[in-house]
Amino acid sequence: MKNIVILISGRGSNMEALIAARDAGDLPVNIAAVISNRPDAKGLETAAKAGIVTHYIDHKAFAGREAFDAALAECIDGFVPDLVVLAGFMRILSEGFVRHYQGRLMNIHPSLLPSFPGLHTHQRALEEGVRIHGCTVHFVTPTLDHGPVIVQAAVPVLDSDDEAALSARVLRQEHRVYPQAVRWFAEGKLKLEGGRVRIAADLADGNAFISPVLR
């Protein structure tokens, strides 16, 4: 069974979805720890109630990004994770940190990347008048909100939408596809080839790799 460590900065609703999938028997992983850069992150309490080890490392206590990232990596590595999962971790990570976990650092972003990297994705989608929006699970690279795409989920943008309504619709899809992506990793069904992710339907019987887009 694969070990994962989850990083959060706040409530951690995607963390909650991963815990729920684990508890339902749909996610064959051991959630070794949940770590936050904020001591008041609500998700730490949620994780502790679920029987998961929690830690916080306050980024404000460090002189710079690299010093914080070094302390964070030391904490993470103590749990010997196969995968590090960013679930609303609101920190830009240094290149050294990202490269240390290359191929085993996963993030979810609330847009159909490469569209709308960064913040305020839902409002920007509304302002641009796009008809399709969604979320993307990807492996992390040193470039912000960039990296090999694992899976995306699309939702329609309705004429009646405001930022809150569109955000809620996308979030429901985030909670569906993130556990799916982590499960594929845990089952050994993700393969990086030339900067792209291939997803094996069944590696054991040699089926072709597929790249589904979930709706």
Side-chain angles (χ1 to χ4, degrees):
M1 182 176 291
K2 300 292 188 183
N3 262 358
I4 72 170
V5 168
I6 301 174
L7 305 186
I8 64 171
S9 291
R11 169 189 161 195
S13 71
N14 275 301
M15 175 204 70
E16 292 175 3
L18 293 168
I19 293 172
R22 179 204 65 173
D23 292 347
D26 296 328
L27 186 57
V29 300
N30 172 48
I31 303 176
V34 170
I35 303 170
S36 176
N37 65 306
R38 294 177 57 94
D40 59 347
K42 181 67 174 176
L44 292 174
E45 180 181 347
T46 302
K49 288 180 178 177
I52 301 168
V53 174
T54 63
H55 284 275
Y56 70 82
I57 304 174
D58 190 347
H59 65 274
K60 296 178 182 178
F62 294 84
R65 190 181 311 279
E66 287 75 15
F68 168 75
D69 284 0
L72 178 61
E74 182 178 6
C75 182
I76 292 170
D77 289 347
F79 296 98
V80 196
D82 299 287
L83 179 68
V84 179
V85 178
L86 306 181
F89 188 65
M90 303 303 291
R91 291 282 301 171
I92 295 175
L93 296 165
S94 63
E95 182 174 348
F97 182 95
V98 172
R99 295 203 184 283
H100 180 65
Y101 297 106
Q102 186 171 3
R104 54 193 184 103
L105 182 61
M106 194 178 289
N107 184 46
I108 189 163
H109 183 73
S111 79
L112 295 173
L113 292 174
S115 296
F116 308 120
L119 301 175
H120 311 299
T121 59
H122 310 304
Q123 185 59 41
R124 290 159 61 198
L126 291 169
E127 290 171 355
E128 291 292 337
V130 300
R131 307 314 298 174
I132 298 293
H133 190 42
C135 57
T136 302
V137 182
H138 65 99
F139 284 116
V140 178
T141 66
T143 302
L144 180 65
D145 294 331
H146 178 274
V149 172
I150 299 167
V151 65
Q152 293 177 302
V155 302
V157 180
L158 307 179
D159 290 340
S160 59
D161 274 337
D162 59 13
E163 185 177 7
L166 183 57
S167 174
R169 191 177 307 116
V170 171
L171 190 61
R172 286 193 292 273
Q173 296 304 312
E174 291 182 37
H175 294 167
R176 185 166 69 92
V177 298
Y178 215 179
Q180 175 70 76
V182 174
R183 180 165 69 248
W184 281 333
F185 183 94
E187 293 173 346
K189 293 184 176 181
L190 299 182
K191 185 177 181 180
L192 279 167
E193 291 183 342
R196 296 182 62 187
V197 175
R198 303 296 183 183
I199 305 169
D202 190 340
L203 291 178
D205 65 16
N207 283 351
F209 288 100
I210 59 174
S211 294
V213 175
L214 303 184
R215 301 287 181 178

